[in-house]
Amino acid sequence: MKILHTCATYWPLVDGVSVAMQRISEGLAAHGHDVTVATGAVAGAVDEHAGVQIVRFAITGNETLGYQGDTTAYQEFVRHFAGDIMLNYAAQIWSSD
């Protein structure tokens, strides 16, 4: 299965969001799924870690406070991702709003 996870932070950052998503994503990858994580950090940087493809966008904020960064590139990436399923981690953050 081709899976897209979206979250505001991910490896190598260590916080509640990044650790939870890393465990879920790497666990699914270890079971043979094709997992991509769309997350924050360096714009345009694409990494791979423990079988998980990581695509990073330089965006912060949320719907209430406003967004900073290139939200159009992120929206286009999500819109055109050819996957089977998508999980958005957390509400009231740029990656889900």
Side-chain angles (χ1 to χ4, degrees):
M1 184 177 301
K2 189 167 182 176
I3 301 167
L4 174 62
H5 289 162
T6 69
C7 51
T9 60
Y10 193 74
W11 175 90
L13 298 175
V14 178
D15 61 26
V17 171
S18 64
V19 171
M21 288 305 294
Q22 183 179 359
R23 289 182 180 167
I24 293 167
S25 298
E26 290 178 9
L28 289 167
H31 280 81
H33 297 287
D34 180 356
V35 181
T36 300
V37 173
T39 189
V42 180
V46 178
D47 300 315
E48 187 277 329
H49 179 73
V52 176
Q53 184 77 9
I54 307 163
V55 182
R56 301 183 190 276
F57 297 87
I59 303 171
T60 59
N62 61 35
E63 184 67 26
T64 302
L65 300 174
Y67 304 105
Q68 296 78 45
D70 186 3
T71 57
T72 301
Y74 174 72
Q75 291 169 343
E76 289 299 311
F77 175 80
V78 171
R79 184 176 292 119
H80 294 103
F81 187 82
D84 299 306
I85 191 167
M86 181 169 83
L87 167 78
N88 301 92
Y89 188 93
Q92 299 178 336
I93 191 68
W94 68 266
S95 56
S96 293
D97 286 354

